[in-house]
Amino acid sequence: MLIVQKYGGTSVGSIDKIQAVANKVAACRAQGNQVVVVVSAMSGVTNNLTAMAFELQKEPSPREMDMLLSTGEQTTIALLSMALQSIGCPARSYTGGQVRILTDSAHTKARIQDIDEEKILNDLDQGEVVVVAGFQGVDEKGNITTLGRGGSDTTAVALAAALKADECQIYTDVDGVYTTDPRVVENARRLDRITFEEMLEMASLGAKVLQIRSVEFASKYNVPLRVLSSFEDGPGTLIGSEDESMMEMPLISGIAFTRDEAKLSVVGVPDVPGMAYKVFGPISDANIEVDVIVQNIGADNTNDITFTVQKKDADAASKLLESIANDMGARGIEVDDKVSKVSLVGVGMRSHAGIASRMFEALSQESINIQLITTSEIKISVIIEEKLLESAVRALHVAFELDQQSE
Ligand code: ASP
Ligand code: MG
């Protein structure tokens, strides 16, 4: 098999850990696999480099930031190759530019456009392990670029897609994707598998195991992704497309949540065309990301428009709203920054009725008031008072029997 393995910063955080990674890589090769390894910078390095830059300049140029930050990964590839060679495993390291991970020129947030897989395939055929620096690429003019924080995941998936690898394994400090955050629900369970779609919902809703972009990439090119622990053996969680595994999929895969939401409403909005645009035009121009949106027609020919944003944007959004509400003759605005969002995620929802009612029943038994509800095909989200978040997550975990292995 051709396997791409990616090791994150904590997995290569010291010389000892790099040696342990080398042993894992060599063992995988010894089983007859061709192995490409993508590594992050040693933990803390990217942050330290960033801090140094900001000591010199308030706004360092993105090009120089990329030049600087790419050195973190360059250190790790050389050390890992040495560690591999020292245990008799042939290995070669390459920067992103050297294997021509071609990106656009959007420094600090570049996108991969093309990869030249020939060189890597040649080395693999000669029995080498190929070690590639994550997070970095090169633009057409030869400038070093980086892919955004956490970008090594994306490098790994992109390489796996280009090389048509059998699997892309992401080694990290957790042993897989869980039904929910184990810090909130003690008996949260590792999932054996989850679909790309579900993972995207779980990740974007706060269960941050993988960079979201890498999951989108994997889904687009149908690269099977596996999240595993660097520190313990185990099968991890396989993230794949729905068709392969539909029969075995549980109804609900997990519960995601975000604490940092704020809810804003414009109340008494005249019921005429153009009002939603009047509200969300300026919000979007201010680069404020809107999450849930709900609009309701009231009895007196006015609407209430309610939406949520991240807590950090609540002040800016409410200032904007005040003048907007005035302009359009609305009755006023309301702001509540003590709300959270809880979401039930599962592809099984598509084909089963009654999931929503079961969810609302569980919340009602805990006397949890639901402020907003939104749904998509594979997700039901509710906005609730922030201090009830944990009890809501626990109640739902029990109601949907997520602590039990699905058969
Ligand atoms: N070293 C980069 C970061 O810390 C990229 C990565 O680790 O994926 O964000
Ligand atoms: Mg990382």
Side-chain angles (χ1 to χ4, degrees):
M1 290 218 293
L2 200 169
I3 296 177
V4 175
Q5 298 191 331
K6 181 258 169 178
Y7 292 90
T10 47
S11 309
V12 293
S14 67
I15 292 298
D16 285 352
K17 286 182 176 167
I18 288 175
Q19 281 171 326
V21 166
N23 287 333
K24 273 181 119 72
V25 172
C28 182
R29 177 175 172 274
Q31 283 164 12
N33 299 305
Q34 296 189 310
V35 193
V36 174
V37 189
V38 173
V39 282
S40 291
M42 295 168 78
S43 55
V45 167
T46 309
N47 288 344
N48 289 341
L49 291 170
T50 305
M52 285 197 280
F54 281 96
E55 273 183 48
L56 292 168
Q57 269 188 310
K58 256 209 232 78
E59 281 179 48
S61 106
R63 182 185 182 279
E64 301 311 323
M65 277 313 277
D66 281 353
M67 184 64 85
L68 177 69
L69 295 190
S70 64
T71 63
E73 273 71 13
Q74 190 170 339
T75 305
T76 326
I77 53 171
L79 291 174
L80 178 59
S81 295
M82 292 173 192
L84 283 163
Q85 290 166 7
S86 79
I87 54 173
C89 178
R92 253 166 182 263
S93 63
Y94 293 108
T95 63
Q98 285 177 319
V99 283
R100 202 138 167 93
I101 297 182
L102 184 72
T103 70
D104 60 21
S105 301
H107 284 290
T108 77
K109 46 176 191 289
R111 300 222 156 218
I112 297 176
Q113 292 176 331
D114 191 33
I115 292 179
D116 176 13
E117 64 280 357
E118 282 313 309
K119 193 189 262 162
I120 299 177
L121 289 172
N122 267 336
D123 284 356
L124 289 174
D125 283 343
Q126 279 161 29
E128 303 258 0
V129 167
V130 178
V131 183
V132 181
F135 173 58
Q136 55 177 260
V138 67
D139 74 1
E140 241 166 12
K141 296 198 192 99
N143 295 301
I144 295 177
T145 54
T146 65
L147 310 179
R149 296 305 304 266
S152 299
D153 290 345
T154 298
T155 304
V157 174
L159 277 172
L163 297 165
K164 303 195 172 50
D166 296 286
E167 197 167 288
C168 180
Q169 303 178 339
I170 308 281
Y171 285 87
T172 179
D173 46 5
V174 294
D175 69 347
V177 179
Y178 276 67
T179 48
T180 194
D181 187 340
R183 284 170 299 193
V184 172
V185 179
E186 213 175 281
N187 56 359
R189 191 172 46 79
R190 181 185 56 77
L191 293 160
D192 286 328
R193 51 176 61 208
I194 182 170
T195 67
F196 290 125
E197 265 183 299
E198 288 170 322
M199 188 62 211
L200 285 170
E201 295 289 5
M202 297 282 279
S204 63
L205 295 168
K208 293 199 180 66
V209 192
L210 283 167
Q211 199 202 30
I212 297 176
R213 237 173 91 194
S214 73
V215 183
E216 285 166 357
F217 214 108
S219 164
K220 185 162 165 204
Y221 294 97
N222 203 6
V223 176
L225 258 182
R226 191 182 291 278
V227 175
L228 325 100
S229 162
S230 306
F231 309 115
E232 333 163 357
D233 290 328
T237 300
L238 180 66
I239 308 164
S241 57
E242 195 172 326
D243 31 315
E244 291 160 21
S245 50
M246 258 284 262
M247 302 299 284
E248 300 159 49
M249 293 304 292
L251 218 50
I252 298 300
S253 284
I255 302 164
F257 56 86
T258 46
R259 291 174 203 276
D260 56 346
E261 302 251 334
K263 185 181 71 166
L264 297 97
S265 304
V266 201
V267 295
V269 178
D271 187 22
V272 295
M275 290 296 138
Y277 178 57
K278 280 216 167 80
V279 172
F280 293 108
I283 297 278
S284 139
D285 290 343
N287 267 324
I288 296 173
E289 230 177 277
V290 174
D291 184 17
V292 176
I293 300 178
V294 176
Q295 172 182 292
N296 247 344
I297 301 207
D300 54 351
N301 265 335
T302 66
N303 292 324
D304 290 351
I305 298 177
T306 302
F307 60 98
T308 65
V309 299
Q310 283 184 39
K311 212 166 270 181
K312 67 172 171 58
D313 293 329
D315 280 346
S318 79
K319 284 212 184 75
L320 272 176
L321 267 199
E322 262 171 46
S323 63
I324 297 168
N326 243 329
D327 282 356
M328 58 192 209
R331 206 154 47 237
I333 69 165
E334 285 163 14
V335 180
D336 180 355
D337 67 359
K338 296 200 171 44
V339 296
S340 291
K341 182 170 73 172
V342 181
S343 306
L344 203 59
V345 177
V347 290
M349 261 179 222
R350 281 204 197 108
S351 45
H352 286 79
I355 303 283
S357 72
R358 208 154 123 202
M359 177 177 190
F360 304 149
E361 181 187 17
L363 295 174
S364 98
Q365 280 167 354
E366 296 294 310
S367 306
I368 292 170
N369 189 38
I370 302 171
Q371 301 182 10
L372 301 176
I373 302 171
T374 61
T375 65
S376 77
E377 256 188 53
I378 64 163
K379 175 184 78 173
I380 307 170
S381 303
V382 295
I383 301 289
I384 59 173
E385 200 182 336
E386 185 182 304
K387 66 170 198 265
L388 302 174
L389 172 67
E390 309 215 336
S391 55
V393 174
R394 283 192 207 107
L396 293 174
H397 206 267
V398 172
F400 287 92
E401 298 174 348
L402 289 174
D403 53 335
Q404 268 142 62
Q405 200 69 42
S406 57
E407 46 317 318

